[in-house]
Amino acid sequence: MGILNVTPDSFATHCSSLTPETILADFRQLVQQGAQIIDLGACSTRPNSTPVDEEEEWRRLQVALSAIRSAYPHFPVSIDTFRASVAQKALQQFQVQIINDISGLSDPQMLSVIAHAHVPYILTHPREACLQWSDTTPVLSEVLAYFAHQLDILHRAGVADVIIDPGLGFGKTIQQNYTILSHLSVFQHLNTPVLIGLSRKSMIYQPLHLSPADVLGGTTAAHTLALIHGANILRVHDVAEAKQAIAIVQAYQQTL
């Protein structure tokens, strides 16, 4: 899953400007590098950011999706939004294929939107679920319990296709992030694909004492660990390098 942020305040964005031409050029580059899904976001969710309002988020997405669908009418596009109204418009007007909600159903209308559309939904363990955590919190059991509860709600509403994202970087300490990363196999008991989004995040650049722009090597190493421990989908800024990591891990696993 390649990341395309159509927002000027993302910490690591591919989108050089917000014109239809540059958005399409950046989208095409991700496709050519080997992305199988592209996750399109128009509202920054980086730490300490202030989300744009709903109207501005949709304006940016509408510009981007109009350009993308003119050239790639059927390419799998995921919309990164926590707002049900934005998800609904993207589904109805541009037939996007996936909704990626980092808030874990914080919008009470999101459940009905997803259930009605019959599209895959990415369920993230959100920042808000970690507010009461401490250094002694049993991280894995907390995340598993959260997913079990939310999956039950989704399945009861008729949402059959759910992808889970443990939410690395969302309200978790570096140690907690690596605890989750090293135990991804426990999530296989939930019988749903696992998406990992750690590309250029603080769990990579802080231990290396570098900036997000300088940690491609560290990100690739972490992607390799995620794949070995059971990740099914990588959400990445650097598609070509992630594809190489996938190929090497697959070659390695074939010898086991």
Side-chain angles (χ1 to χ4, degrees):
M1 175 185 280
I3 300 169
L4 181 59
N5 291 317
V6 288
T7 172
D9 57 349
S10 174
F11 78 92
T13 181
H14 270 294
C15 197
S16 49
S17 70
L18 302 182
T19 67
E21 294 77 16
T22 54
I23 291 169
L24 184 57
D26 292 332
F27 189 95
R28 181 175 291 113
Q29 182 179 36
L30 293 172
V31 173
Q32 291 172 346
Q33 289 176 347
Q36 295 174 303
I37 306 165
I38 294 181
D39 193 43
L40 190 65
C43 178
S44 178
T45 54
R46 63 180 173 81
N48 303 315
S49 64
T50 300
V52 296
D53 61 31
E54 181 179 316
E55 290 73 20
E56 176 61 15
E57 181 185 8
W58 177 242
R59 186 195 67 78
R60 295 173 180 177
L61 283 174
Q62 196 170 25
V63 169
L65 287 167
S66 295
I68 290 164
R69 283 303 188 223
S70 67
Y72 296 91
H74 305 297
F75 192 91
V77 172
S78 167
I79 295 298
D80 181 358
T81 186
F82 56 87
R83 293 174 169 133
S85 62
V86 171
Q88 187 170 36
K89 290 174 185 176
L91 289 162
Q92 291 179 344
Q93 297 183 31
F94 296 100
Q95 292 74 55
V96 301
Q97 290 92 338
I98 302 171
I99 298 299
N100 180 14
D101 176 9
I102 67 157
S103 76
L105 293 173
S106 67
D107 187 329
Q109 301 303 315
M110 184 66 84
L111 185 61
S112 62
V113 168
I114 300 301
H116 180 75
H118 300 291
V119 295
Y121 174 76
I122 299 173
L123 171 67
T124 302
H125 185 268
R127 184 175 288 109
E128 291 71 21
C130 309
L131 293 178
Q132 305 302 318
W133 284 13
S134 69
D135 291 340
T136 60
T137 297
V139 173
L140 294 174
S141 60
E142 286 282 336
V143 178
L144 277 170
Y146 172 86
F147 280 139
H149 179 263
Q150 297 296 87
L151 284 168
D152 182 63
I153 292 172
L154 285 158
H155 291 156
R156 286 176 182 273
V159 182
D161 297 321
V162 184
I163 299 162
I164 58 171
D165 176 353
L168 298 180
F170 288 104
K172 302 166 181 71
T173 67
I174 290 177
Q175 182 177 353
Q176 289 167 345
N177 285 320
Y178 280 102
T179 295
I180 293 169
L181 181 63
S182 64
H183 293 84
L184 290 181
S185 60
V186 304
F187 298 109
Q188 294 175 355
H189 300 295
L190 297 172
N191 297 314
T192 187
V194 177
L195 180 148
I196 290 297
L198 52 75
S199 181
R200 300 182 181 268
K201 286 186 174 179
S202 61
M203 64 179 286
I204 310 297
Y205 65 75
Q206 286 188 8
L208 297 174
H209 305 289
L210 295 170
S211 72
D214 298 321
V215 293
L216 176 57
T219 294
T220 301
H223 282 157
T224 303
L225 293 171
L227 292 165
I228 288 173
H229 288 295
N232 304 110
I233 303 169
L234 297 178
R235 181 180 181 272
V236 307
H237 296 96
D238 308 284
V239 171
E241 290 79 3
K243 291 279 287 187
Q244 290 182 12
I246 292 168
I248 295 301
V249 170
Q250 288 176 338
Y252 163 75
Q253 289 177 333
Q254 287 173 0
T255 68
L256 298 179

